[in-house]
Amino acid sequence: MTTAYIESPLGLTLIKGDEKGVSQISCLDGVCGGPAQDGLPLDEPVAQAAQQLTEYFAGTRQTFDFLISPAGTAFQQSVWQLLRAVPFGTTQSYLELTRHLGDEKAIRAVAAANGRNPLWIVVPCHRIVGSDGSLTGYAGGLWRKEWLLKHEGAWPVSVKGKASATAPGQLSLF
C-alpha cells in the first residue's frame, strides 16, 4: 500500500492504494503542505489518481479511469456504483438514487452508504442533493460540496426545472 498527497483548492488530498487499485481518497482538514508521497515508489493506480485529480482541479478532466478498490458491503458497493454513473456537471437526489436501486424505502441506507464513500470526488457523492435541490450533509463539509458543484457547473442546483440555491448553512436531510 502506498500513499500520495496532492495540494488541491480544498486542502491537502490523501490518496492510498496498491496495485489492485485506489482504496482511499480524502481531503485532510487543518493540514498544510506534506510529503508528495510516503517514500515508497507509488503503485500505478495511486500515481494515476494523483495525476487525474490534479487535472480535475485544473479543469481539464471530468472523468476518472484508474483502478479503484474501495472496501465496503455489497449494498455500499452497489450505491457507489450508481454514484459513479452520475455525470460531471449534474446532480441527482437521494430519492432518485433509491429509485434506481428499486426501493424508495432504502433512502436512509443509501444516505448512509453515500456518507461512507471512501473515494472523495472519484465516486461523486457531492453530486447527490436533497429532492428540493438543497445541499445535504457532506463528510468534507458543505463548503467543499458547494465548491465542487460550482467547479463542475452544477450550482445552483436545478430540480425539475427550478433553480435552488440553498445556502450551505441550510440543511435538508433528503
Side-chain angles (χ1 to χ4, degrees), residues 79-95:
V79 171
W80 299 337
Q81 190 64 33
L82 284 175
L83 290 173
R84 293 195 75 200
V86 179
F88 181 94
T90 67
T91 60
Q92 195 171 95
S93 72
Y94 284 98
L95 185 57

Side-chain angles (χ1 to χ4, degrees), residues 74-140:
F75 180 78
Q76 289 170 334
Q77 296 284 348
S78 67
V79 171
W80 299 337
Q81 190 64 33
L82 284 175
L83 290 173
R84 293 195 75 200
V86 179
F88 181 94
T90 67
T91 60
Q92 195 171 95
S93 72
Y94 284 98
L95 185 57
E96 289 173 300
L97 208 55
T98 61
R99 287 178 179 152
H100 287 296
L101 285 173
D103 185 3
E104 287 185 20
K105 294 178 184 175
I107 196 163
R108 291 193 185 277
V110 166
N114 199 46
R116 294 195 181 273
N117 170 20
L119 295 173
W120 184 55
I121 299 173
V122 175
V123 175
C125 57
H126 62 278
R127 296 179 188 152
I128 307 304
V129 298
S131 293
D132 62 356
S134 61
L135 295 186
T136 57
Y138 187 64

Side-chain angles (χ1 to χ4, degrees), residues 34-92:
Q37 62 186 53
D38 60 8
L40 301 172
L42 293 178
D43 289 306
E44 187 62 23
V46 174
Q48 289 174 343
Q51 179 63 40
Q52 291 182 23
L53 283 165
T54 298
E55 293 167 356
Y56 169 86
F57 284 115
T60 60
R61 176 174 287 275
Q62 297 181 358
T63 61
F64 303 96
D65 58 10
F66 53 87
L67 291 175
I68 62 171
S69 62
T73 66
F75 180 78
Q76 289 170 334
Q77 296 284 348
S78 67
V79 171
W80 299 337
Q81 190 64 33
L82 284 175
L83 290 173
R84 293 195 75 200
V86 179
F88 181 94
T90 67
T91 60
Q92 195 171 95

